[in-house]
Amino acid sequence: MTLPPTPRKIPRAITQLGRTRQDEYAWMKDDNWQNVLRDPSLLRPDIAAHLRAENAYTAAILSGTGETQAELVAEMKGRMQPDETYPAVPHGPFLYQTGYTPGAQYPVYTRHPAAHPQATEVLLDVNAAARGHDYYAVATASHSPDHTLFAHAEDTQGSEIYRIRIRRIAEEAGTLPPVENCSGAFVFSPDSAYLFWVWRDEHGRPARVYRRRIGEEADTLVYEEADPGFFVSVETTRSGGWIIISSGNHDTSESWLIPGHDPLAPAACAAGRQAGLIYGLHHQGDHFIILTNADGARDFKLMTTPDTAPARASWRDLVGHEPGRYITDCVVWSGHLAWRERRNANTRIVIRDLHGATHALEPDEAAYDLTFGSGYEYDTTELRYIYQSPTTPREWHAYDMATRADRLLMRQTVPSGHDPAQYRCWRLMAQAPDGEQVPVTVLGRADTPIDSSAPLLLYGYGAYGHAIDPVFSTRVLSLVDRGWFYAIAHVRGGSEKGWDWFLGGRGRNKPNTFSDFIACALSLTEAGFGSAGRIVADGRSAGGMVMGAIANMRPDLFAGIVAVVPFVDELNTMSDASLPLTPPEWPEWGNPLEDAQAYDLIASYAAYEQVGPRAYPAILAMGGLTDPRVTYWEPAKWVARLRDHTRSDRPIMLRTNMEAGHRGATGRFDSLKEAALIHAFALWAIETAAPTRD
């Protein structure tokens, strides 16, 4: 196919709050979309035919990159340890472990007695479970506290509607009745007699918590959330003292408590929801540690309260608020507390004992990431953490919080070889139009000239307060080793510089996210890390919103734009209350159904609404048919409208994964094909950049 598909146009006028917009491609949304999520074969035939035609066109345009894609896959695969096994995690008499057998697409969950390392039991072989499925993902996999049960939540469509499978480990035929229609979240009660799980409603929202006695099929409703904008989750404290049900949106949260020793007790509210109050509970001894933004603590603080008096009035400061020090999470043990904090796009871990003495883990590198590792035990002084940077492969450490002895458990192996000294990482600050300093992390080979001659891949996200940390990625090395620079624009909307950095790119401040990204691109070119017209921009999900906006604002800067599962039909999506994420995200973007100012603001930057007669660069949009977060029709509509208006000869392409959802292919080698396609597109976009037409 040398010519793109020409989908029909069906004029449709939408009037809302006295404003009228046109949507000639609204027909691409299947009215039966909820059922399509559960059974993709139900997709309306004309829509399916159009998506397949788009896939064929994309394949044809990029057909010349086939050898490059194969080469990229081979390179990426060569950097992966074929039989990688992650450090075993102790819990009582066992060590639990996850790893891959040589050539396996999916992990295997195992355990062995601490005293007998050779006596390995397989708890779950995901490769065997995935047989016969085009898509297979495990959200949660966990053993019971008494070590007799193992459960996992599986998704076989990509719709994130999970089935929980439970089995008795010691019994050969120990499979128990499954739990259907789950969000993927579940926990065992501390006595291992019950499973608490989260139910999805007809719109795909996690809205209820049920309790099921192990071995039975009947479920008892424990909690139901009435507000469609609040999502529900469930967890147990590491101490085993409590089962915690949490409900919240991006602004407000609420927790309900069930005593761990009495899982049949009704849930009791800890502190009633107050608009703007966010809190999370962690149990230690006879009290809770509370991570919260209470009392105007914009970057969060830690408070404490007796576990017999969890109401807001009883909370007292433990670690006070410090502006610019954003506390992202915390972990509690019987004798220690540790929290992770972020300053200026880097992180550190601070440890505190019961006497209040503190010390920190803080690497000395320009850009890096430090995170908590997994752990089950409460009565221990061992903290697990993971360290990495753009140049340094991941390292798993066991740290004794009492003696401060640090033990390296494992270092990520790159079989094809990796010498950190051959690479360099820079941390730059780009000046936004309003004067804000936006962090930018850059990775390149030490011998790549910084003279504006190298092509640049610039990645951005900027939403929900989610920070894009500077981690080690073997995949981007394929471009870096070809003389590219790879950069992350830490734009507002994330939390790289604290909670205010999030608020600065949210709601009425959302346009800052887009101007920050453009400022980062311009700053990088000024510093010699690229040049206008030789940049490929990359964003996924809410980062795809950035891609849609910058395509309209500064198409001249980019040779190509990659938008993966992109949120680009913002006004229509935020006006459809039936979609899973719409009510929860009104605090994020505004509610255009009720607020005229929110309508006008979203319309001013929404990618689909702002498409116009411009010389757009080459664009590769990628969607997932069963994606419940960014529905398949968003990129499909966007691509169609872009083609109607572009004034350049650069192709605009759509590739829809007909067997997957938001996260794309699930197998670790299958996912390399999607990464290779993106990199091959980037190489192709730079090599084939063409002049625009009048």
Side-chain angles (χ1 to χ4, degrees), residues 299 324 326 342 344 494-503:
D299 286 319
Y326 171 41
R342 181 177 288 115
N344 291 321
S495 59
E496 285 89 341
K497 293 179 71 174
W499 201 249
D500 277 338
W501 201 244
F502 162 48
L503 299 177

Side-chain angles (χ1 to χ4, degrees), residues 52 94 122 172 251 341 391 396 447 466 667:
R52 292 192 180 99
F94 293 98
V122 174
E172 193 168 325
D251 276 331
E341 60 185 41
T391 62
W396 287 260
D447 56 0
H466 176 68

Side-chain angles (χ1 to χ4, degrees), residues 38 160-162 181-183 198-202 204-207:
R38 291 169 167 79
E160 300 179 40
I161 298 170
Y162 292 87
N181 205 45
C182 176
S183 72
V198 178
W199 172 86
R200 282 193 184 276
D201 68 12
E202 65 273 16
R205 298 174 188 137

Side-chain angles (χ1 to χ4, degrees), residues 240-265:
W242 298 90
I243 300 161
I244 301 179
I245 297 169
S246 300
S247 185
N249 61 15
H250 298 294
D251 276 331
T252 305
S253 67
E254 182 178 70
S255 294
W256 292 70
L257 300 170
I258 300 171
H261 68 272
D262 186 9
L264 299 182

Side-chain angles (χ1 to χ4, degrees), residues 418-439:
H418 177 74
D419 180 4
Q422 293 182 355
Y423 301 87
R424 282 196 62 189
C425 180
W426 298 263
R427 171 60 59 77
L428 310 179
M429 301 301 286
Q431 182 165 309
D434 63 357
E436 280 284 2
Q437 298 296 303
V438 185

Side-chain angles (χ1 to χ4, degrees), residues 306-651:
D307 59 12
T308 55
R312 174 69 184 87
S314 301
W315 298 3
R316 299 291 180 267
D317 280 1
L318 181 68
V319 177
H321 176 241
E322 186 179 317
R325 179 194 65 181
Y326 171 41
I327 302 179
T328 66
D329 53 350
C330 70
V331 180
V332 169
W333 297 266
S334 59
H336 291 85
L337 160 69
W339 66 87
R340 180 175 180 258
E341 60 185 41
R342 181 177 288 115
R343 299 174 189 258
N344 291 321
N346 275 336
T347 53
R348 70 174 189 160
I349 291 174
V350 182
I351 298 155
R352 174 187 171 113
D353 65 21
L354 294 179
H355 304 291
T358 64
H359 66 281
L361 303 175
E362 187 173 16
D364 182 16
E365 199 166 350
Y368 62 88
D369 181 49
L370 198 63
T371 58
F372 290 117
S374 57
Y376 302 110
E377 300 199 323
Y378 174 66
D379 291 312
T380 181
T381 61
E382 183 180 270
L383 176 155
R384 294 285 182 98
Y385 73 90
I386 301 170
Y387 165 73
Q388 59 187 312
S389 79
T391 62
T392 308
R394 284 178 295 169
E395 296 178 353
W396 287 260
H397 290 253
Y399 180 78
D400 191 307
M401 295 178 285
T403 67
R404 305 192 184 185
D406 195 315
R407 181 164 51 100
L408 177 65
L409 298 173
M410 174 183 165
R411 181 177 288 114
Q412 180 182 357
T413 300
V414 181
S416 59
H418 177 74
D419 180 4
Q422 293 182 355
Y423 301 87
R424 282 196 62 189
C425 180
W426 298 263
R427 171 60 59 77
L428 310 179
M429 301 301 286
Q431 182 165 309
D434 63 357
E436 280 284 2
Q437 298 296 303
V438 185
V440 188
T441 301
V442 186
L443 173 68
R445 287 189 64 89
D447 56 0
T448 299
I450 309 175
D451 60 2
S452 301
S453 64
L456 168 69
L457 182 71
L458 179 60
Y459 181 83
Y461 186 75
Y464 310 117
H466 176 68
I468 303 300
D469 290 312
V471 300
F472 181 74
S473 169
T474 57
R475 296 182 180 186
V476 301
L477 294 179
S478 285
L479 287 182
V480 171
D481 285 346
R482 284 171 169 79
W484 285 57
F485 287 111
Y486 170 73
I488 302 170
H490 301 286
V491 296
R492 277 174 281 186
S495 59
E496 285 89 341
K497 293 179 71 174
W499 201 249
D500 277 338
W501 201 244
F502 162 48
L503 299 177
R506 184 194 199 209
R508 61 184 176 84
N509 297 320
K510 190 60 199 173
N512 288 334
T513 303
F514 317 135
S515 56
D516 282 0
F517 190 88
I518 292 170
C520 290
L522 293 172
S523 180
L524 287 165
T525 63
E526 291 168 3
F529 289 103
S531 58
R534 286 178 57 77
I535 304 171
V536 175
D538 182 10
R540 292 120 201 272
S541 193
M545 174 195 288
V546 182
M547 299 301 102
I550 58 106
N552 290 324
M553 296 168 67
R554 286 298 305 269
D556 57 300
L557 284 177
F558 307 100
I561 293 175
V562 180
V564 182
V565 292
F567 183 29
V568 285
D569 192 15
E570 298 101 303
L571 189 55
N572 286 314
T573 292
M574 296 314 298
S575 299
D576 185 348
S578 73
L579 293 172
L581 294 185
T582 293
E585 296 202 348
W586 283 329
E588 189 77 14
W589 324 113
N591 182 349
L593 289 172
E594 300 178 356
D595 184 342
Q597 287 186 333
Y599 183 106
D600 293 340
L601 178 65
I602 295 171
S604 73
Y605 63 70
Y608 187 60
E609 304 303 323
Q610 290 298 317
V611 169
R614 301 179 182 88
Y616 287 99
I619 292 177
L620 174 62
M622 300 173 67
L625 179 58
T626 55
D627 187 347
R629 298 170 184 255
V630 180
T631 49
Y632 72 84
W633 58 83
E634 290 209 31
K637 291 167 58 179
W638 181 53
V639 162
R641 186 173 276 185
L642 282 168
R643 287 207 199 105
D644 290 340
H645 291 84
T646 187
R647 288 187 173 178
S648 84
D649 293 319
R650 304 295 278 153

Side-chain angles (χ1 to χ4, degrees), residues 122-133:
V122 174
L123 303 173
L124 171 65
D125 183 346
V126 182
N127 301 280
R131 288 191 193 112
H133 298 288

Side-chain angles (χ1 to χ4, degrees), residues 69 72-78 80 105 474-475 665 667-678:
Q69 291 185 49
L72 289 166
V73 168
E75 289 175 8
M76 294 175 187
K77 191 172 182 179
M80 298 170 63
Q105 290 267 25
T474 57
R475 296 182 180 186
R668 64 172 180 155
F669 299 127
D670 286 346
S671 65
L672 296 181
K673 297 176 184 177
E674 294 183 355
L677 173 64
I678 292 169

